[in-house]
Amino acid sequence: MLGRLAVDVAIYRDRVQVTERKSGIFIDQRADHPFSSDTQLVADATRFEHALSHALRQILKTGAYMLYEPRAVVGPTDPALTPPERALVRRVLQDTGFRRIEFEDE
């Protein structure tokens, strides 16, 4: 049976954790190439997208998902994302195919 893809995304230094909301499947993806810097949690969009894509592929191979209006909820981060980092995360999620993106701390 098809389900709509809805995930929670947690971002840490050079690590992304993705949880599929319905099934509870949890992926902890360490970045192959660091995307954080000393001053920014998400400093490199390409490397962040690479880590996120790896985690999403692992979730997608576990079942059948409709990719109609997929949804991502980004949890609070420590340190908090700056406005430019938040825009970068939103752009990467959109480029990855997500249409509904929410930040829990908004």
Side-chain angles (χ1 to χ4, degrees):
M1 185 156 102
L2 289 176
R4 283 214 167 105
L5 183 62
V7 298
D8 290 324
V9 178
I11 305 167
Y12 301 95
R13 291 207 171 277
D14 302 322
R15 172 179 245 99
V16 177
Q17 293 178 340
V18 180
T19 305
E20 200 283 316
R21 289 182 151 223
K22 187 174 181 180
S23 68
I25 294 170
F26 172 79
I27 305 297
D28 182 9
Q29 182 66 49
R30 183 174 199 77
D32 293 334
H33 304 285
F35 58 76
S36 300
S37 71
D38 291 340
T39 58
Q40 291 181 288
L41 187 59
V42 182
D44 187 303
T46 303
R47 291 178 175 186
F48 172 67
E49 184 173 2
H50 186 262
L52 180 64
S53 295
H54 273 281
L56 290 171
R57 275 196 298 270
Q58 291 180 58
I59 286 175
L60 291 173
K61 73 180 180 183
T62 65
Y65 296 99
M66 289 188 303
L67 297 179
Y68 174 74
E69 292 188 19
R71 177 177 177 227
V73 177
V74 180
T77 61
D78 184 25
L81 294 171
T82 64
E85 287 176 301
R86 188 176 296 261
L88 184 148
V89 168
R90 183 177 301 278
R91 183 176 51 87
V92 167
L93 285 166
Q94 287 171 335
D95 289 350
T96 306
F98 287 92
R99 296 295 165 248
R100 292 180 55 202
I101 301 162
E102 301 169 29
F103 290 85
E104 282 188 352
D105 58 358
E106 281 187 331

